[in-house]
Amino acid sequence: MADQSVPHPSGLKKVGFCLEKLATTHSYEPDSFKLHRLPSPRPGELLGLIGTHKTGKSTALKILGGRLKPNLGRFDDPPDWPEILTHVKDCYFKSYFADVLAKKPRIVFQHQDFTDLRNDRFFVGETLKMYDQRGKLEEVCDALDLNSHLKRNLRSLTPGLLQVVTIAAKALQKGDVYIFDEPSHFLDVAQRLNVARVIRSLLTPDNYVIVADHDLTLVDYVSDAIFCVYGKPEAYGVVTKPYNTRSGIEAYLDGFDLLETQYMRAASPSDFVARKTAPKEFHNEGCPRLQYPDMTSTFKRLKLQVTGAEFKYWQICVVLGESGTGKTTFIRMLTSLYAGLHPPDEVKGVEPWSPPYTVSYKPQLTILKSGCTVRQLLKRLRVDDDVRPGFKTEVLTPLQIDQMMDRDLDTLSPGETPKLDIACCLAKTACLYLIDEPSEYLDAEERIVTSMAIRQHVLNMGKSAVVVERDFMMAAYLADQVILVEPPAITGSATSTSRRPSTITESVTSTSRRPSTITESVTCNSRRPSTVPKSVPTAPDFVTSSPHTRFNGMRIFAEQQNITFRKDRLSFRFLPKVNKLGSTEDEEQKRAGNYLDPKLNWA
């Protein structure tokens, strides 16, 4: 048999193992996807699973959840459980499945498709009450900010709120094994942290909690042990041996499995260390100033007030805020000044106003129309080395656009479409790039590569960009400046009233009592309006801040969410690492008021 060792993309054979030496855990059919190894859960430890798309994470979760029986590669003659347990060498894995077969534990599984809860006959409060087996309804609703949505119909919820309700329903059930597959999908930064706290609270010394997600910050925040999954998408997947949280995140970012001396990805590890910064001194003679005035806009009865400011060339401004606060409306208002996409209701002092600079806009949802191939689309945008030198190596190759050139647009997967949207946005000639949710549907590796491509292109072209982002690690890598979208009372400052509870059992302030029934809404403790006003409000619901420096903006946001970030002492990379709630580092940084580790280079 030919050597099936995983080659390094440079063509040089690296020290590693051969796939033929790895026992196959599961295979679907001849010449189809094969999964090698499985993560081994341990009681009392929260297991995190990270990896690229289509390398076997969901398959591994289905096996651990009892929904799929491993066949050891013998799809035509599946083995029985005694043979499977004899085949497996890991003692923790044997112990886990011995418990599954003997005790038949209650397994609570939250899978990626969470639409099974959508039912127009039920309200949120009624649904959660049906699932409440642990008597924790009020506690979970407080932790996930669901009190103001208990009277809403499930059918009327946005995807993000429906995801939160689904996670709440799973957390309310009694279980010996809890499995969460992509819990951060559709959630903003604050919701992700709330969900992480609730998931962490489920862990006891005797049960198992497993989380697979592409948000490295969330996995870092909740996990005690990490397994990385890598391989060739739709061909094979390899599960590494267990790492502790810090080493696992570092190994994945480096793309090198230290325990097996095996490369996980094509990119060189050094590519993920440096964060390219703008030159300290630069001149933009003849370029227009990227100013925008004070504006207001009402969208679906939510009023947003935009504070006028100026973007700088050679810099990226990241917009942070919760879902439903108007981040996308803000981006559309900037775009509408040229395209009429979402015109503001009022422009202070300069109406009518026509800015002299051009904009390229990447919306949250794709607007690409089928009927042509990727190559034909890029040809229309004049994307070639004669017109844009270096664009292929800067953007197209890292985003793997060159691998889909001859494919029709309607054949692209949900993970490929946003990368093409980003490439088309960056391909247009503009002074200001507006990019809404670049990380949506991308795995952890693709998010890092996409961040690097956006940053490198913007700085090399000497332009500016505004990015709305939910992934904190990706936002921290991209940002030179930060704009916060918050209620007027807390914009630009981090106050104690804006912090979230440090645990799901922590009581809220005395001004917000808990509801006496599950259908009573709470207004005082909710950031968002608990009811929809009958008429357009005169005062704004949310306000955008002026651009903060990267350090101040991230510090304010971290303090509002009651989380701290550290610098990893073992690496020289910039990316901040989140401290676990209540850990020694977390408490020390909070006492010192350093929600962001000052040892990180935040210049």
Side-chain angles (χ1 to χ4, degrees), residues 35 84 90 134 142 251 337 359 392 412 450 464 473 498 537:
L35 178 64
I84 295 173
D90 190 288
R134 300 170 57 228
D142 282 345
L337 299 174
V359 165
K392 179 178 180 181
L412 299 181
T450 300
S464 182
M473 191 174 290
S498 65

Side-chain angles (χ1 to χ4, degrees), residues 37 41 77 114 154 218 363 441:
R37 289 209 199 103
D77 181 25
F114 53 86
L154 288 171
L218 184 145
Y441 296 107

Side-chain angles (χ1 to χ4, degrees), residues 234-303:
E234 298 182 338
Y236 68 88
V238 179
V239 181
T240 67
K241 294 180 180 179
Y243 285 92
N244 62 46
T245 305
R246 175 174 295 179
S247 300
I249 297 291
E250 287 298 310
Y252 187 77
L253 291 175
D254 284 335
F256 187 76
D257 185 1
L258 294 172
L259 302 178
E260 297 283 359
T261 61
Q262 179 70 28
Y263 283 93
M264 298 184 193
R265 65 163 63 91
S268 169
S270 61
D271 291 342
F272 295 87
V273 176
R275 175 185 180 272
K276 187 175 181 180
T277 57
K280 294 183 179 180
E281 296 183 3
F282 52 86
H283 303 280
N284 291 94
E285 297 179 1
C287 295
R289 299 183 66 179
L290 304 178
Q291 292 178 316
Y292 61 96
D294 292 345
M295 298 179 286
T296 58
S297 178
T298 303
F299 183 68
K300 293 184 178 180
R301 297 187 177 182
L302 184 145
K303 190 171 184 179

Side-chain angles (χ1 to χ4, degrees), residues 116-138 141 150 152 154 165-166 168-174 518-519:
D116 56 335
L117 273 186
R118 190 183 293 275
N119 193 320
D120 57 358
R121 295 179 301 170
F122 295 104
F123 295 97
V124 173
E126 295 174 346
T127 300
L128 295 181
K129 186 176 181 181
M130 289 189 295
Y131 280 95
D132 188 18
Q133 301 172 351
R134 300 170 57 228
K136 299 283 187 178
L137 181 61
E138 292 184 357
C141 287
L150 294 176
R152 293 185 61 181
L154 288 171
V165 172
T166 302
K170 301 301 180 183
L172 290 171
Q173 298 179 56
K174 286 184 179 179
I518 64 169
T519 57

Side-chain angles (χ1 to χ4, degrees), residues 146 149 152 157-166 187 191 528:
L146 287 176
H149 303 287
R152 293 185 61 181
L157 299 182
T158 62
L161 272 176
L162 188 61
Q163 175 78 309
V164 174
V165 172
T166 302
L187 304 187
Q191 289 173 325
R528 304 180 186 125

Side-chain angles (χ1 to χ4, degrees), residues 431-449:
C431 298
L432 180 66
Y433 295 98
L434 303 175
I435 304 176
D436 196 356
E437 301 291 355
S439 69
E440 196 68 37
Y441 296 107
L442 303 184
D443 61 38
E445 178 182 334
E446 290 171 333
R447 293 180 185 188
I448 297 172
V449 173

Side-chain angles (χ1 to χ4, degrees), residues 175-192:
D176 302 300
V177 180
Y178 292 91
I179 299 177
F180 295 88
D181 193 0
E182 299 292 346
S184 72
H185 201 37
F186 293 113
L187 304 187
D188 62 39
V189 180
Q191 289 173 325
R192 294 180 186 193

Side-chain angles (χ1 to χ4, degrees), residues 45 105 132 243 343 463 488 507 522 556 575:
E45 286 190 4
D132 188 18
Y243 285 92
K463 305 301 182 181
S507 61
V522 176
I556 293 171
L575 296 177

